Amino acid sequence: MANCPENTRLHKFISFVFIIALSSTLCAQAYARGPYSYTGVELQNAVDEAYEKFKGLKDGKNADYIPILATVPSELFGVVIVTKAGDVYSAGDTDYIFAIESTSKPFNLALVMEEYGPEEVQEKIGVEATGLPFNSKLAMELIKARSVNPLVNAGAIAQVSMVKAKNEEERWDKVFQNMKDFAGTELKVMDEVYESEITTSWSNRAIANLLYNYGRLYSEPEDALRVYTKMCSVGVSTTDLGFMGATLANGGVNPKTGKRLMKEEYVHHLLAVMLTAGFYDESGEWAYTAGLPSKTGVGGGIVSVVPGVLAIAAFSPRLNEAGNSVRAQEAIDYISDKFDLNIFKPRKLPAVM
Ligand code: GLU
């Protein structure tokens, strides 16, 4: 009985050590950023569920105005979440390499913002949403900026022409290196996609020439057209696209390589353009439902960013009328809804820590 108080103290000390050890293990397992808080198991379950739920959807069809895109197997489907810490949760065909197309545009915009700053981007390209299709010439006549915004074809050709370089080769090298840095891995141009697209680029050629005519292109039109088309022909996997988005979620630093690719204070400008113009003429509907800054591409890819938290990327070739992948958008919308990721919603999930 005499050493009872000591036993109690020892008991308390052991309990204390046990609680600390247990909570650190839980903290290590949980992915928590402020009020956002999900375990790896929950994130994996979410991508698995999204994949299972929408893999049977047959709506839409492959893009065919770029002939080679019509030959991509329509059943492919991949869904991935990449957290700002670089953790990856994936389901389906996430290693399949497809043409990045317009999902490249926000990442090149990051490069242009680094070179010029956000004000000059606003002035030299414009940041207004149109509600019109991505290759609209009418929008170029209606909107004073002509180039409209950096995520439609006119603005994207304009932003490529702004990349500072002595010549076309140097411009391309910078554009390509920046894409590889965002993905945190080596990437390749899909030569067949480039050939298929550049030989049928009459609409984009008209856009480049119109921009030049209005003094809103900053290199020779054919030079800008070639670099732009090559940028769209780069092959990525859904996971690569996830890392590109996660770099934006992580304030401009690639979580895989630790390399800073844009200033943190510029990221919100870029995300604002993604929210208002990233889903072509369905950007309003997408903001209304999923509520996430995103960019889609006619190759079937979509990348969405939850600022400061994670990115979701999905890929499936069948597109709806506006040019957005049917399955990919359903999958992302499902995950957004499941975790209340919509940036306009107050956070509902309790913090783990
Ligand atoms: N390279 C494609 C084009 O210029 C990109 C379109 C897209 O993905 O929205 O038409």
Side-chain angles (χ1 to χ4, degrees):
M1 292 303 278
N3 55 13
C4 199
E6 261 179 32
N7 276 348
T8 310
R9 265 203 298 277
L10 184 66
H11 184 240
K12 276 188 181 160
F13 177 72
I14 290 171
S15 311
F16 175 74
V17 170
F18 178 72
I19 287 166
I20 294 291
L22 181 67
S23 42
S24 348
T25 312
L26 285 175
C27 286
Q29 283 173 352
Y31 182 78
R33 292 289 175 268
Y36 291 94
S37 174
Y38 321 107
T39 64
V41 172
E42 286 169 328
L43 294 173
Q44 184 58 50
N45 286 344
V47 290
D48 288 340
E49 284 161 25
Y51 177 79
E52 285 303 322
K53 252 176 136 41
F54 302 111
K55 70 174 187 205
L57 261 187
K58 306 275 184 209
D59 300 352
K61 66 181 191 56
N62 288 36
D64 57 7
Y65 76 98
I66 299 169
I68 198 158
L69 296 183
T71 67
V72 178
S74 306
E75 288 310 320
L76 289 165
F77 184 29
V79 188
V80 66
I81 289 177
V82 182
T83 68
K84 70 173 260 183
D87 302 323
V88 181
Y89 303 93
S90 53
D93 306 306
T94 48
D95 292 335
Y96 184 87
I97 302 293
F98 58 95
I100 188 167
E101 298 296 346
S102 281
T103 49
S104 59
K105 293 172 182 173
F107 306 104
N108 196 64
L109 178 57
L111 172 63
V112 174
M113 267 195 195
E114 278 301 283
E115 290 191 338
Y116 292 82
E119 289 78 20
E120 233 174 306
V121 163
Q122 190 175 4
E123 185 195 306
K124 284 197 151 75
I125 305 175
V127 292
E128 208 50 77
T130 63
L132 289 167
F134 63 94
N135 52 5
S136 172
K137 284 81 172 167
L138 180 59
M140 299 178 71
E141 299 304 325
L142 294 175
I143 308 254
K144 234 174 71 208
R146 305 293 185 190
S147 33
V148 188
N149 71 59
L151 302 186
V152 296
N153 287 10
I157 296 172
Q159 49 147 317
V160 162
S161 79
M162 283 171 71
V163 172
K164 291 180 180 162
K166 297 192 290 295
N167 53 34
E168 182 178 335
E169 197 187 343
E170 190 182 306
R171 178 166 297 112
W172 165 245
D173 286 346
K174 282 175 82 174
V175 168
F176 194 28
Q177 187 56 52
N178 177 63
M179 293 171 81
K180 293 188 260 191
D181 285 344
F182 264 98
T185 189
E186 276 304 313
L187 299 173
K188 288 199 183 96
V189 174
M190 300 175 82
D191 293 329
E192 287 178 314
V193 174
Y194 179 73
E195 273 315 303
S196 181
E197 188 159 348
I198 199 75
T199 52
T200 53
S201 262
W202 309 112
S203 171
N204 285 339
R205 182 166 281 113
I207 289 172
N209 281 298
L210 268 179
L211 286 171
Y212 195 71
N213 176 58
Y214 287 127
R216 300 291 286 176
L217 198 69
Y218 308 97
S219 72
E220 289 298 312
E222 286 297 316
D223 162 342
L225 182 69
R226 278 189 295 268
V227 176
Y228 164 82
T229 308
K230 243 187 231 173
M231 174 176 93
C232 292
S233 308
V234 167
V236 286
S237 68
T238 315
T239 309
D240 295 335
L241 199 54
F243 269 100
M244 296 175 92
T247 302
L248 295 177
N250 194 33
V253 176
N254 184 308
K256 198 193 289 183
T257 61
K259 188 165 176 181
R260 175 166 289 287
L261 298 172
M262 70 183 299
K263 291 186 189 61
E264 185 151 22
E265 63 265 32
Y266 292 173
V267 175
H268 71 97
H269 291 294
L270 199 154
L271 295 177
V273 187
M274 287 173 76
L275 184 79
T276 54
F279 246 76
Y280 307 127
D281 38 330
E282 283 181 341
S283 300
E285 306 222 12
W286 184 248
Y288 193 81
T289 51
L292 290 177
S294 303
K295 186 69 202 91
T296 69
V298 294
I302 304 182
V303 59
S304 296
V305 178
V306 185
V309 186
L310 53 78
I312 313 167
F315 155 71
S316 198
R318 287 199 199 94
L319 313 178
N320 67 9
E321 297 261 296
N324 299 319
S325 167
V326 176
R327 288 181 187 170
Q329 65 175 295
E330 289 290 354
I332 294 175
D333 192 29
Y334 174 79
I335 294 171
S336 171
D337 200 43
K338 183 175 171 88
F339 293 127
D340 277 329
L341 297 175
N342 186 319
I343 60 169
F344 300 108
K345 283 191 186 177
R347 305 272 65 83
K348 286 187 192 149
L349 289 170
V352 164
M353 291 172 286

